[in-house]
Amino acid sequence: MSSSNSGLLVTAIIAVGIGIAFLVSDARTPSTRWLSGALLATGVAIGFNAYLLHVGVEDLPFWARAAGFIEALAFICGVEWGIRVSRTAGERAGPRVWGLSRLAEVFVLFHAALSAVFPVQRIEHLIGAMGDPAFYLSPWFWAFATVPTVGFVFITIAAVRMLMRGPDKAESGRILSMLVVLPLLGFSFIVPLHLAPMTLALSQVVFLFGALRYFMVQGARAQFMARFMAPQVAELVRTRGLRQAMRKHRVTVSIVCVDIRGFTSYAHGVEPEVVLRLLRNFYAAIGMAAARYGGTIKDLAGDGALIVIGAPVEMEDHAARALALARRLQSHTRPVVQRYSTSLGLGVGVATGQVAVGIVGQRARFEYVAVGPAVNLAARLCDRARDGEIRVDADTLQLAGESARGKPLRRTVKGLAEPVATYVLGAEDASNP
């Protein structure tokens, strides 16, 4: 086997290895699955071509006609990755990127069909570029080099458009590296055969730089989401990107605010290490309860927490989930804090209304925020709730399809012009989480 073939086999193994590594590391993200497919198919295509070059045109098997379709599969998987990435840039980027991408696929499929009809000429094209300048003037060279090059040009334009529209931050690094990789892959079709392995290897190194940045950003996100977000939010981020999933917008949600009763006096009378253990167990219980009902923890501050239900993942039954979460907190989280002292208790406030939600901050430090009267109301209701009580506004009860015993309390809440009708759910109402 020639040194050129050996070099092609090495680059094929590297491409397959990178594809497997991507798939193992980030298999749940749709864009990564398509990108892994592109890398795996690229490795197979390179290895397949290396074998055909070793066999030569005299003993070319019939199934050599499939070589172009393997290359097309790699290209199409890459295009599908780009289309999914374009969705993270918003609706503006979608139609044009989609149209250019499909047009690029047409050219690559035409190249595959040409390779199937003229397999001998295709191999001669790959071999003929080695040390024979006159070959670049032959019609077969232009036939096999021009068609995929046009496809690469279309997909490059689509990638530039997508990048200008502001895709997901994690994917932008892979797009930038792909813009460098595409010309290198195109050159591998026209450079002398002994230079093709170098061109392919260089493209893999460049792409690895973009992949490294992708996994660094995703790692920072994973820490953020694991701490504050409901599990279904992670799936939304995988399919739409952080920017689209967390974009600032108005939405009707339910807010649950919880606070430990008697915490201040208790904290003054025990060792700080004990207080830390209490808070650690308290926050852990809140996290499990919030995840159970799809809540997103907006704040963990001191001896309390504020949980949003209905954002960033919209839920039609957010009010019912909020009441179920409030009852879960009283029935399961309250005993956790009371294990440290019977003087401790739990108060919960629940309110529903329209809020503005989104992420604020920059670089690695950012926070998911919710701003609106419902947030203030839930906090005020929580402040007034006694141990074991759930104070809830009438809107939450109405949306949840529930009713409470007794007359509503008319409360004046700071920031609201009119008094708010609220109800108190006692221990007997909170017994069924």
Side-chain angles (χ1 to χ4, degrees):
M1 181 176 291
S2 67
S3 59
S4 298
N5 283 6
S6 299
L8 289 174
L9 287 176
V10 170
T11 56
I13 293 171
I14 294 174
V16 171
I18 296 174
I20 294 174
F22 279 9
L23 193 60
V24 171
S25 302
D26 193 28
R28 296 183 63 185
T29 303
S31 61
T32 296
R33 290 199 297 268
W34 281 107
L35 186 56
S36 298
L39 290 165
L40 291 170
T42 297
V44 173
I46 295 172
F48 195 78
N49 285 327
Y51 173 77
L52 295 179
L53 289 170
H54 174 68
V55 171
V57 294
E58 294 81 6
D59 300 318
L60 202 64
F62 179 81
W63 40 266
R65 300 173 186 272
F69 289 101
I70 301 176
E71 294 172 351
L73 175 63
F75 187 88
I76 290 172
C77 286
V79 168
E80 293 299 323
W81 163 67
I83 289 174
R84 278 150 186 80
V85 172
S86 71
R87 295 171 183 170
T88 68
E91 296 180 356
R92 297 178 302 167
R96 290 187 177 182
V97 170
W98 188 90
L100 287 168
S101 300
R102 297 306 184 203
L103 192 58
E105 288 180 335
V106 170
F107 275 88
V108 172
L109 285 173
F110 179 75
H111 175 263
L114 192 67
S115 301
V117 176
F118 302 104
V120 173
Q121 288 80 357
R122 176 182 178 276
I123 296 300
E124 288 178 344
H125 159 70
L126 294 176
I127 298 175
M130 183 173 58
D132 185 6
F135 183 78
Y136 292 103
L137 301 177
S138 72
W140 287 115
F141 168 79
W142 291 104
F144 282 103
T146 302
V147 175
T149 300
V150 172
F152 280 125
V153 169
F154 278 122
I155 205 63
T156 300
I157 295 173
V160 171
R161 284 185 175 275
M162 183 166 46
L163 200 60
M164 292 174 62
R165 295 298 185 182
D168 182 53
K169 180 181 178 181
E171 293 286 8
S172 62
R174 296 204 291 198
I175 297 171
L176 282 170
S177 63
M178 186 59 74
L179 285 173
V180 179
V181 167
L182 285 173
L184 293 174
L185 290 177
F187 285 141
S188 67
F189 280 88
I190 60 177
V191 298
L193 185 60
H194 66 280
L195 295 179
M198 300 180 193
T199 306
L200 293 171
L202 182 59
S203 68
Q204 292 169 348
V205 171
V206 171
F207 191 75
L208 279 176
F209 278 105
L212 180 61
R213 182 179 182 275
Y214 170 84
F215 285 109
M216 288 176 62
V217 174
Q218 291 290 62
R221 285 179 180 175
Q223 292 180 353
F224 173 74
M225 289 189 294
R227 186 178 177 190
F228 296 108
M229 301 295 179
Q232 57 267 41
V233 178
E235 186 62 28
L236 184 65
V237 172
R238 289 188 189 97
T239 56
R240 299 298 303 274
L242 187 66
R243 177 182 175 185
Q244 290 299 309
M246 306 297 182
R247 71 188 188 281
K248 297 180 179 66
H249 65 290
R250 286 178 174 265
V251 63
T252 300
V253 300
S254 292
I255 307 292
V256 179
C257 190
V258 57
D259 192 75
I260 299 177
R261 296 289 170 262
F263 177 80
T264 302
S265 58
Y266 170 80
H268 281 299
V270 299
E271 295 295 326
E273 292 79 7
V274 178
V275 177
L276 287 175
R277 284 199 299 271
L278 163 63
L279 291 177
R280 187 180 296 114
N281 292 331
F282 172 59
Y283 292 153
I286 288 176
M288 288 188 291
R292 182 185 182 96
Y293 297 103
T296 296
I297 299 175
K298 176 190 170 292
D299 288 317
L300 284 176
D303 58 338
L306 194 148
I307 305 165
V308 181
I309 299 183
V313 178
E314 295 186 15
M315 304 172 181
E316 293 184 0
D317 59 342
H318 55 83
R321 287 172 177 263
L323 289 179
L325 172 58
R327 291 174 173 130
R328 180 84 181 181
L329 292 171
Q330 289 292 12
S331 64
H332 286 66
T333 305
R334 182 169 175 259
V336 171
V337 300
Q338 288 189 325
R339 285 202 297 266
Y340 289 83
S341 174
T342 55
S343 65
L344 297 174
L346 212 64
V348 181
V350 184
T352 296
Q354 191 176 77
V355 299
V357 296
I359 281 186
V360 297
Q362 58 183 351
R363 296 186 182 274
R365 186 175 182 84
F366 43 87
E367 180 182 358
Y368 188 69
V369 298
V371 179
V375 179
N376 298 331
L377 178 56
R380 299 289 181 266
L381 293 177
C382 181
D383 290 341
R384 294 173 183 261
R386 299 174 182 175
D387 176 31
E389 286 185 347
I390 300 171
R391 298 215 172 194
V392 56
D393 69 334
D395 289 343
T396 302
L397 285 175
Q398 182 179 0
L399 284 175
E402 294 193 20
S403 59
R405 292 188 292 272
K407 296 181 179 181
L409 303 174
R410 306 291 295 184
R411 297 292 187 187
T412 301
V413 179
K414 183 179 180 180
L416 297 179
E418 299 293 332
V420 178
T422 64
Y423 293 85
V424 177
L425 304 181
E428 67 278 5
D429 300 299
S431 59
N432 297 315

